[in-house]
C-alpha cells in the first residue's frame, strides 16, 4: 500500500505552493489553517496574498487583528484569521518569531489543534506523526476498514490505525500522498476507483461497496442560515477601512431578528467591535 500510494503521488499530485521546496514553516502553518473546510482553489490565491504581505509571523503580529480578518476575504469561518493572528503573536513572544518545530510547542499555540500540530510538524519539519484529516480518514476507512465513510469524529481506533500505517522512513511523504489520494481519487461522493492505486486491495471495493449505515452525516447548509447572515455583515465591514454605521449593517439583511442575532454572535466571537457612537468595526489591538 505504501509503494502504490507514494508512486501514484509522484506522478499525479498537484503542484501547490505550500509543498514547494522553498516553502517555509510559517507558509505551511498558514496553509493548514486556511485549508480547514475550504477548497484548495479558493485558498491558493489568498495564501499567496498573505505570504506576500506577511512572509513571517512577526509581519502579521504587528498588524491589528482586524487586518487579518480583512485579508481573509471570503474564505469563510473568519475566526481562523483571528487564530492565525494570535498564533503569530505567540510565536513572536515565546519563540523569537520562529515557528516551533516540536508537536508539543505547536499544539500549545492559540487555535492549533492535534491535526494542525501534526501536519506542521510533518510537512514543515519532516517529523513522523499521523496526520488525520477528512481525506486521510476516508481513504483508510475504505481501504482498510471496508466502510464507505468514517464516523463524524475521529476515534481512538482510527488514530491507532493511522499510527500503525506510518512507515518508519518517509512518513511525511506517505501522509501527504494519502491526503492527496482522498482529495483527488477517493472522494466523498464520486470515488474514481478505476484509477485508484490501491483498488485491487481496497476492503470497501472487495466487499461490494457497502453503503454507510451510521449516524446521519452533517450537511453544509448555507442559504438563509445565520452563517450566511454573518458572512454578509462581515463583507460590509471588510470592504470599509474604518468603522461602519449600524445602518449599513441593517441594510445587509432584511430579517432584523436574524440579523441582530448574527451581529451579537460576531461580537461575542471577537470578530466585530461595537463602538459608542452606534458604529462597528473589525477588531483592533486589545488594551
Amino acid at each position: 500500500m505504501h509503494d502504490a500510494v507514494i508512486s501514484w503521488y509522484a506522478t499525479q499530485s498537484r503542484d501547490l505552493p505550500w509543498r514547494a521546496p522553498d516553502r517555509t514553516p510559517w507558509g505551511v502553518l498558514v496553509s493548514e489553517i486556511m485549508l480547514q473546510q475550504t477548497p484548495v482553489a479558493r485558498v491558493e490565491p489568498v495564501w499567496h496574498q498573505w505570504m506576500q504581505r506577511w512572509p513571517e509571523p512577526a509581519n502579521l503580529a504587528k498588524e491589528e487583528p482586524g487586518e487579518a480578518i480583512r485579508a481573509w476575504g471570503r474564505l469563510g469561518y473568519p475566526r481562523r484569521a483571528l487564530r492565525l493572528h494570535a498564533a503569530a503573536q505567540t510565536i513572536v513572544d515565546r519563540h523569537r518569531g520562529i515557528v516551533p518545530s516540536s508537536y508539543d510547542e505547536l499544539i500549545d499555540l492559540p487555535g492549533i489543534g492535534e491535526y494542525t500540530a501534526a501536519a506542521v510538524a510533518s510537512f514543515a519539519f519532516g517529523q513522523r506523526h499521523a496526520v488525520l484529516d477528512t481525506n486521510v480518514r476516508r481513504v483508510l476507512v475504505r481501504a482498510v476498514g471496508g466502510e464507505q465513510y468514517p464516523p463524524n469524529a475521529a476515534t481512538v481506533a482510527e488514530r491507532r490505525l493511522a499510527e500503525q500505517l506510518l512507515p518508519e522512513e518517509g512518513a511525511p511523504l506517505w501522509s501527504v500522498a494519502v491526503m492527496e489520494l482522498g482529495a483527488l481519487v477517493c472522494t466523498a461522493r464520486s470515488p474514481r476507483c478505476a484509477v485508484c492505486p490501491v483498488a485491487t486491495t481496497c476492503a470497501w471495493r472487495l466487499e461490494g461497496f457497502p453503503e454507510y449505515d451510521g449516524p446521519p452525516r452533517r450537511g453544509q447548509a448555507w442559504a438563509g442560515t445565520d452563517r450566511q447572515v454573518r458572512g454578509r455583515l462581515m463583507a460590509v465591514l471588510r470592504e470599509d477601512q474604518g468603522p461602519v454605521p449600524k445602518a449599513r449593517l441593517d441594510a445587509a439583511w432584511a430579517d432584523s431578528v436574524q440579523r441582530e442575532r448574527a451581529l451579537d454572535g460576531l461580537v461575542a466571537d471577537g470578530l466585530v467591535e461595537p463602538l459608542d457612537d452606534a458604529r462597528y468595526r473589525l477588531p483592533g489591538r486589545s488594551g
Side-chain angles (χ1 to χ4, degrees):
M1 188 173 179
H2 289 150
D3 290 343
V5 172
I6 291 172
S7 295
W8 170 87
Y9 179 80
T11 60
Q12 303 299 319
S13 62
R14 293 167 291 182
D15 182 17
L16 300 177
W18 45 85
R19 295 176 182 166
D22 62 350
R23 68 190 182 278
T24 65
W26 172 240
V28 173
L29 175 57
V30 171
S31 74
E32 288 297 338
I33 299 295
M34 287 185 171
L35 287 165
Q36 293 170 8
Q37 299 177 289
T38 307
V40 165
R42 288 174 57 194
V43 166
E44 191 166 357
V46 180
W47 183 89
H48 279 295
Q49 293 165 10
W50 270 59
M51 298 311 298
Q52 186 172 29
R53 182 175 179 181
W54 301 310
E56 299 292 342
N59 304 121
L60 178 58
K62 293 175 182 177
E63 299 271 14
E64 292 190 342
E67 283 304 301
I69 296 172
R70 198 184 312 279
W72 196 254
R74 300 180 63 83
L75 287 182
Y77 303 98
R79 274 181 289 183
R80 293 181 293 168
L82 285 183
R83 293 174 189 146
L84 256 177
H85 186 272
Q89 289 184 313
T90 301
I91 291 169
V92 169
D93 294 342
R94 297 182 189 172
H95 304 286
R96 304 186 306 282
I98 300 171
V99 175
S101 60
S102 78
Y103 175 90
D104 290 340
E105 288 178 316
L106 285 165
I107 204 169
D108 198 39
L109 296 175
I112 304 300
E114 293 180 0
Y115 164 77
T116 304
V120 175
S122 296
F123 303 146
F125 298 106
Q127 297 175 15
R128 187 176 183 271
H129 294 279
V131 183
L132 204 59
D133 80 336
T134 301
N135 289 318
V136 173
R137 295 179 62 217
R138 187 169 57 252
V139 170
L140 297 186
V141 79
R142 288 175 177 174
V144 181
E147 299 178 15
Q148 184 178 19
Y149 297 121
N152 286 330
T155 65
V156 173
E158 283 183 277
R159 297 183 192 282
R160 186 180 300 116
L161 173 63
E163 290 169 358
Q164 290 171 348
L165 288 174
L166 279 179
E168 290 299 325
E169 300 292 335
L173 178 58
W174 159 254
S175 294
V176 73
V178 177
M179 192 178 297
E180 191 79 333
L181 184 65
L184 300 183
V185 174
C186 194
T187 59
R189 293 179 180 158
S190 302
R192 300 165 57 217
C193 299
V195 297
C196 178
V198 295
T200 57
T201 58
C202 174
W204 185 49
R205 176 179 173 274
L206 293 174
E207 292 174 18
F209 305 107
E211 293 188 4
Y212 177 77
D213 62 357
R217 294 171 56 77
R218 293 191 294 265
Q220 293 291 325
W222 171 254
T225 64
D226 283 5
R227 283 182 56 218
Q228 184 181 21
V229 184
R230 286 165 63 103
R232 292 276 183 89
L233 298 176
M234 291 299 296
V236 172
L237 290 159
R238 283 196 311 269
E239 291 163 4
D240 202 301
Q241 292 299 313
V244 172
K246 178 65 160 54
R248 290 267 308 281
L249 297 176
D250 291 344
W253 193 262
D255 185 331
S256 61
V257 174
Q258 189 178 28
R259 184 182 65 242
E260 294 304 310
R261 182 171 66 242
L263 181 57
D264 288 344
L266 291 171
V267 172
D269 289 342
L271 292 166
V272 175
E273 287 185 355
L275 303 177
D276 293 336
D277 54 357
R279 295 187 301 166
Y280 292 79
R281 70 171 188 177
L282 296 177
R285 293 191 181 278
S286 58

